[in-house]
Amino acid sequence: MAASLLRQSRPCLRQLTRQPIFFRPITSTIRPLGASAAAASPSQASEQLFFPEEPKAPIVHTKIPGPKSQEAIERLTKVFDTRSLNMMADYTKSYGNYIADLDGNILLDVYAQIASIPVGYNNSSLHAAASTPQMISSIINRPALGNFPQSDWASILETGILSVAPKGLNQVFTAQAGSDANELAYKAAFMWRRQQERGGQDVEFTAEELESSMNNKSPGSPDNMSILSFKSGFHGRLFGSLSTTRSKPIHKLDIPAFDWPQASFPMLRYPLDDPKNAEYNAKEEQRCLDETEHLLTTYHNKPAAIVIEPVQSEGGDNHATPNFFRGLRELTKKHNVLMIVDEVQTGVGATGKFWAHDHWDLQDPPDMVTFSKKAQTAGYYFGSNTLRPNKAYRQFNTWMGDPSRALLFRAIIQEIQRLNLVQNTAQVGEYLYAGFERLAQAYPKEIVNLRGKGQGTFLAFDSPRRDEVLKSAKTVGINIGGSGGRAVRLRPMLVFQKGHADILLEGLEKVFQS
């Protein structure tokens, strides 16, 4: 059955010509799971690989965690919380699309550090970028960017982060992590709104505002503003971002929260392009738009902005159509509310476009777009000068980002462009989705609500026995993750190719047969 699910590949992709600088090939030690896994798949045999020295298939010597990993976990548990541990990795032996552990197991990694590895483990181009004098200086002389930016900071931003800025957004505020990026965007939204109410950026603060803010009281600390988010959304775990996170109670329990509204995110029927689902989905999206407008106009703490993910990732991989997002943008313009698009997980090529919101064909770009994960740095893009605070130190911290991580993102961008990896992800996504369609037909009780068509490799499906599937996948050499209550989500790297897709499909079929 597995062989029937494989399909001949399309024209070859460009070959990665630079070999890893320090990685020693491990293919000579491979012990594949079985005959079907040992042989290169039809796609692998005919496509040129980005990582030619990768294993031809996963290797599983022991159960995971094995004895060496268990020993390391026991040691770590004494000084660090390991209750969320997935596996103990050995990054000196991880390469390309494969993650290794301490026991010699090497797994095809389609989880990729929760969607955060863009161009493969131990990528030689990134190693070269990390070895430059510019990088070394940025690491050992880390600047407090707000006060002492390095002389080439503008160049680093212009040739890296800003070279891939979303359409219409030509400025950036750099940050530490995705949660931090969202919180800073929220602050920008609140300052923008109060500047409007005050009469402009040039209007000085009143004595009452200055004094009351020190006591966390209005008007200096307004108690009548909010950020509107959506049910099942995830935007981080810091205090402000946590108040907009609605994915799981475990994230929010015991933490004080702001009185901020949440609107319904469309719960659609899949596949989205099935005519049988069109009427229902259109009504559901309109219901959610109507609810959003009601909250924008009536909620007692008036929203200064909405925040939304192009695909609700942590909350279960929930999709909506471009019509829904275009409708949201029209509502924000109509009611003078900012639109923040959270591209922390969806950005940097994973959906077959560099930014997932490019799929929407918006007439007006979002006001802010936050990013992190595959960028290996963080921050938010914006375009309007009205989103710059009117005084220094209002958006400020010691680091205000990290030049070394910005340099790494620049190298990632160059590697993406050199190998045409966004287009690769779009093409491989089509191939992979078709393979999952065939698996779903063969195992309809195992793959439910397959979704993500046309969204690169940003695919997911629901599984009635999700946690068992995730655990069993490791026994066949696949590291894969979940989201929400029952979704299996795919988050492969941008260097994931059709041969890897064949291995993934074949491995999951073995899990479904067990």
Side-chain angles (χ1 to χ4, degrees), residues 291-307:
E291 181 181 323
T292 301
E293 183 166 29
H294 178 74
L295 289 168
L296 289 177
T297 55
T298 66
Y299 199 77
H300 52 277
N301 290 332
K302 184 172 177 58
I306 69 168
V307 62

Side-chain angles (χ1 to χ4, degrees), residues 6-18:
L6 307 180
R7 189 174 74 184
Q8 295 294 329
S9 71
R10 296 182 179 183
C12 295
L13 300 164
R14 282 181 285 173
Q15 186 174 7
L16 179 65
T17 57
R18 283 175 280 180

Side-chain angles (χ1 to χ4, degrees), residues 338-354:
L338 297 176
M339 184 178 192
I340 303 169
V341 176
D342 180 348
E343 289 251 30
V344 168
Q345 188 158 159
T346 56
V348 193
T351 65
K353 291 185 181 291
F354 203 95

